[in-house]
C-alpha cells in the first residue's frame, strides 16, 4: 500500500482516524478525513505503545499493527490456524479465559495452541461444542459471564500442558496425506493440514494441495468425501457420525488399512453444513474434530 501521510485526505485517512479513535488515541471530533497534526500525534503515541519506530506515516507495518489493535472481542471468528490470528480481540479472549480460570499461559495476543486448548476447556465446561472456535455461541457465553471476568486479573496456576491427542507426537510421527474431491471436502482437508501445522510445525499430517511432490506408499491416504458413491471399493469407509465414537471407528479402519501395500481410508462427512453454521465455520468444525479423532486413533 502507498503510505498514508501528513496532509493526505480522504476515506483512507478517515479509516486510520476511526481506528485511532477506537483504541483511545484520538477524539471522535478529530475524525475529519484530513491527516492533520492531531492525527500525527495520535499515530506517534500508538507507535510508542506498540513498540514500533515513531512514524508520521501509516506504512504497511503500522497499518497491520493498527488493524490488529482495533479488533474487539467478537469482531471476528477466531480459531487455531497458520498464520496465527493475533490482535486485541485475541488478548481480550485470553484475559477472559484467564480470569475465568481456563488460561494460564502468557497473554501475548496470539491465538496459539495453548489459547485453543483453554478455549476448548471453557466450551466443554459450558456444554458448548468443544471445537476451539470462538464464534457466536462462545461470544454469547462470554458476554453472559462478563461480570465474572471484566476488569479482573487472571487466576494463577501452573501452565497447563495440552490435553488433546494432537498435542502428542502423533503429528510428526505419522505421515498422512489428506485430500478431498470437491470444493468443501478439499477445504476440510486443507484446514486439517493448516491446523496440524499450527499445532506442530514439524507435522507430517498434510493435505495433498500442500505437498510439493506426489504422495507415495509411505503416507497413509485419507480421503474426505461428501458422498459414499465416491468411496473406492475395498477401501475402509468411516462415517463421521456419530462424533463421540469417531476416533474408535477410525482406529479400527486404520488397523485394516495398514495391512494394505498402500494404506488408505475414506471418511464420509454428514454434509456441507454443521448445525446452522455457514460453509467456512462448518468446514473448520469438521476439520478440527476429524483431525483430533484421527490423532487419537493414531496415538499408540
Amino acid at each position: 500500500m502507498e503510505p498514508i501521510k501528513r496532509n493526505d485526505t480522504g476515506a483512507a485517512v478517515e479509516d486510520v482516524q476511526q481506528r485511532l479513535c477506537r483504541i483511545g488515541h484520538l477524539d471522535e471530533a478529530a475524525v475529519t478525513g484530513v491527516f492533520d497534526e492531531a492525527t500525527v500525534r495520535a499515530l506517534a503515541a500508538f507507535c510508542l505503545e506498540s513498540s514500533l519506530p515513531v512514524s508520521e506515516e501509516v506504512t504497511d507495518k503500522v497499518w497491520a499493527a493498527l488493524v490488529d489493535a482495533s479488533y474487539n472481542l467478537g469482531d471476528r471468528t477466531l480459531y487455531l490456524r497458520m498464520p496465527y490470528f493475533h490482535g486485541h480481540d485475541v488478548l481480550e479472549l485470553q484475559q477472559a479465559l484467564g480470569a475465568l480460570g481456563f488460561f494460564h499461559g502468557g497473554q501475548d495476543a496470539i491465538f496459539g495452541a495453548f489459547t485453543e486448548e483453554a478455549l476448548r476447556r471453557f466450551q466443554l465446561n459450558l456444554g458448548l461444542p468443544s471445537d476451539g472456535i470462538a464464534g457466536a455461541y462462545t461470544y454469547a457465553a462470554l458476554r453472559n459471564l462478563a461480570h465474572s471476568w471484566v476488569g479482573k486479573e487472571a487466576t494463577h496456576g501452573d501452565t497447563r500442558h495440552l490435553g488433546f491427542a494432537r498435542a502428542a507426537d502423533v503429528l510428526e510421527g505419522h505421515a498422512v496425506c489428506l485430500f478431498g474431491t470437491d470444493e468443501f471436502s478439499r477445504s476440510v482437508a486443507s484446514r486439517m493440514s493448516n491446523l496440524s501445522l499450527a499445532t506442530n510445525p514439524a507435522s507430517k499430517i498434510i493435505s495433498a494441495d500442500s505437498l510439493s511432490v506426489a504422495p507415495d506408499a509411505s503416507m497413509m491416504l485419507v480421503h474426505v468425501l461428501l458422498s459414499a458413491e465416491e468411496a473406492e471399493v475395498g477401501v475402509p469407509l468411516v462415517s463421521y457420525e456419530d462424533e463421540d465414537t469417531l476416533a474408535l471407528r477410525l482406529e479400527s479402519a486404520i488397523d485394516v488399512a495398514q495391512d494394505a501395500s498402500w494404506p488408505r481410508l475414506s471418511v464420509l462427512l454428514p454434509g456441507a453444513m454443521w448445525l446452522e453454521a455457514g460453509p467456512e465455520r462448518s468446514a473448520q468444525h469438521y476439520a478440527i474434530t476429524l483431525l483430533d479423532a484421527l490423532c487419537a486413533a493414531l496415538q499408540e
Side-chain angles (χ1 to χ4, degrees):
M1 61 174 279
E2 288 291 323
I4 306 170
K5 55 189 182 300
R6 186 194 294 265
N7 297 326
D8 282 354
T9 60
V13 175
E14 186 173 348
D15 192 358
V16 169
Q17 291 175 328
Q18 290 283 7
R19 293 178 186 278
L20 288 169
C21 178
R22 190 182 305 173
I23 59 179
H25 286 293
L26 193 66
D27 292 333
E28 190 171 346
V31 179
T32 61
V34 178
F35 204 120
D36 52 16
E37 189 61 36
T39 306
V40 170
R41 290 195 300 271
L43 183 63
F46 168 73
C47 289
L48 282 173
E49 180 183 79
S50 304
S51 301
L52 294 170
V54 174
S55 173
E56 294 188 357
E57 296 183 345
V58 180
T59 61
D60 286 339
K61 189 172 184 178
V62 172
W63 173 252
L66 187 56
V67 169
D68 279 349
S70 55
Y71 279 120
N72 290 319
L73 188 66
D75 283 351
R76 54 181 175 170
T77 300
L78 299 171
Y79 50 86
L80 186 61
R81 68 166 195 185
M82 186 65 73
Y84 297 128
F85 280 111
H86 51 87
H88 182 66
D89 54 341
V90 179
L91 179 62
E92 287 186 302
L93 178 63
Q94 290 174 334
Q95 290 171 338
L97 294 173
L100 292 169
F102 294 96
F103 183 72
H104 301 280
Q107 295 179 5
D108 55 7
I110 297 172
F111 195 108
F114 286 106
T115 303
E116 188 216 26
E117 195 265 346
L119 177 58
R120 291 174 68 141
R121 288 190 290 110
F122 168 74
Q123 291 171 324
L124 187 65
N125 195 72
L126 268 68
L128 299 170
S130 182
D131 56 11
I133 302 175
Y137 295 131
T138 298
Y139 293 136
L142 287 170
R143 284 193 294 271
N144 289 337
L145 292 171
H147 61 282
S148 298
W149 63 266
V150 172
K152 297 184 180 180
E153 295 292 327
T155 58
H156 295 289
D158 296 330
T159 299
R160 304 290 180 88
H161 294 287
L162 299 179
F164 41 93
R166 63 179 151 88
D169 58 1
V170 175
L171 291 171
E172 55 183 296
H174 296 269
V176 177
C177 177
L178 310 156
F179 69 99
T181 46
D182 60 79
E183 184 178 357
F184 185 79
S185 59
R186 284 197 299 271
S187 174
V188 172
S190 177
R191 288 167 183 269
M192 290 174 69
S193 175
N194 192 295
L195 183 62
S196 66
L197 290 169
T199 306
N200 185 342
S203 174
K204 295 178 183 176
I205 298 180
I206 193 165
S207 70
D209 292 339
S210 301
L211 286 173
S212 56
V213 296
D216 56 32
S218 68
M219 300 190 80
M220 175 182 291
L221 298 182
V222 176
H223 183 189
V224 182
L225 44 83
L226 284 173
S227 170
E229 295 177 356
E230 299 178 41
E232 187 176 346
V233 176
V235 173
L237 176 62
V238 179
S239 173
Y240 178 93
E241 300 176 318
D242 132 57
E243 191 176 312
D244 291 339
T245 63
L246 180 56
L248 185 61
R249 289 181 286 111
L250 279 170
E251 184 177 355
S252 299
I254 289 170
D255 287 342
V256 173
Q258 287 177 335
D259 290 335
S261 57
W262 191 339
R264 61 184 67 194
L265 61 92
S266 300
V267 179
L268 178 63
L269 298 177
M273 187 68 71
W274 171 70
L275 297 180
E276 298 178 359
E280 290 192 6
R281 174 70 190 269
S282 297
Q284 187 68 20
H285 174 81
Y286 289 138
I288 290 170
T289 52
L290 181 52
L291 180 62
D292 282 348
L294 180 61
C295 287
L298 289 169
Q299 200 170 20
E300 296 176 357

